[in-house]
């Protein structure tokens, strides 16, 4: 049976859905994720094939140059402010959704911690997860 990954913002104005399996699931401890989340990390499910992820509603987006030196775009709901997904200039076919935006957040199964070099000592994550100083080597 094909699993459906669906979710959206807090007010329901933006929704997404895909039947694709995530290609990567991670906690990211870069400073950008820390400041945007208001905590020590962000948690994401990344999907290949943006055309296979149906997004409804009008998101607003802003860009930032990531630690990698590449631009990433953060999409959020203009009504409630919920961050919903990210896209990446260097990987235009990839879309990453915020784990907490899933209708069933229990579908999130983290595989690794990225940008561990930026970790805050008070942000304790599962010690069984591999930690990469930056992004997972490609």
């Amino acid at each position: 049976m094909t699993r459906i990954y669906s979710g959206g913002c807090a007010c329901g104005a933006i929704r997404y859905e895909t039947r694709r399996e995530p290609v990567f699931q991670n906690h990211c401890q870069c400073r950008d994720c820390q400041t945007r989340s208001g905590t020590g990390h962000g948690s994401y499910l990344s999907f290949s094939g943006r055309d296979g992820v149906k997004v409804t509603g009008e998101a607003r987006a802003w860009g930032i140059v990531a630690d990698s030196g590449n631009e990433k775009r953060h999409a959020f709901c203009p009504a409630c402010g919920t961050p919903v997904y990210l896209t990446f200039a260097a990987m235009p076919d990839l879309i990453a959704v915020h784990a907490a935006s899933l209708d069933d957040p229990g579908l999130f199964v983290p595989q690794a911690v990225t940008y561990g070099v930026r970790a805050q000592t008070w942000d304790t994550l599962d010690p069984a997860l591999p930690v990469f100083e930056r992004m997972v080597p490609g």
Side-chain angles (χ1 to χ4, degrees):
M1 175 184 276
T2 303
R3 187 180 332 217
I4 297 174
Y5 292 87
S6 62
C9 67
C11 74
I14 298 174
R15 298 285 305 156
Y16 62 82
E17 181 177 297
T18 185
R19 295 180 187 281
R20 296 186 180 207
E21 287 295 318
V23 294
F24 188 54
Q25 300 183 62
N26 68 305
H27 296 298
C28 181
Q29 293 183 312
C30 77
R31 281 296 293 148
D32 178 47
C33 287
Q34 291 174 18
T35 56
R36 267 185 323 93
S37 69
T39 188
H41 66 277
S43 301
Y44 307 97
L45 296 88
S46 296
F47 297 92
S48 177
R50 282 176 57 183
D51 61 338
V53 179
K54 179 183 175 186
V55 178
T56 57
E58 292 295 321
R60 302 258 326 258
W62 58 280
I64 189 168
V65 175
D67 278 347
S68 66
N70 296 308
E71 183 186 36
K72 59 183 175 179
R73 306 243 347 126
H74 299 277
F76 65 96
C77 176
C80 67
T82 302
V84 183
Y85 62 89
L86 293 88
T87 57
F88 309 90
M91 298 172 282
D93 197 44
L94 199 70
I95 184 169
V97 301
H98 290 260
S101 73
L102 288 165
D103 292 335
D104 180 1
L107 293 175
F108 175 61
V109 181
Q111 298 167 287
V113 177
T114 55
Y115 285 91
V117 70
R118 304 256 196 253
Q120 301 299 322
T121 57
W122 46 262
D123 186 34
T124 306
L125 297 172
D126 182 350
L129 291 173
V131 177
F132 295 89
E133 280 194 16
R134 300 218 173 347
M135 187 47 77
V136 175

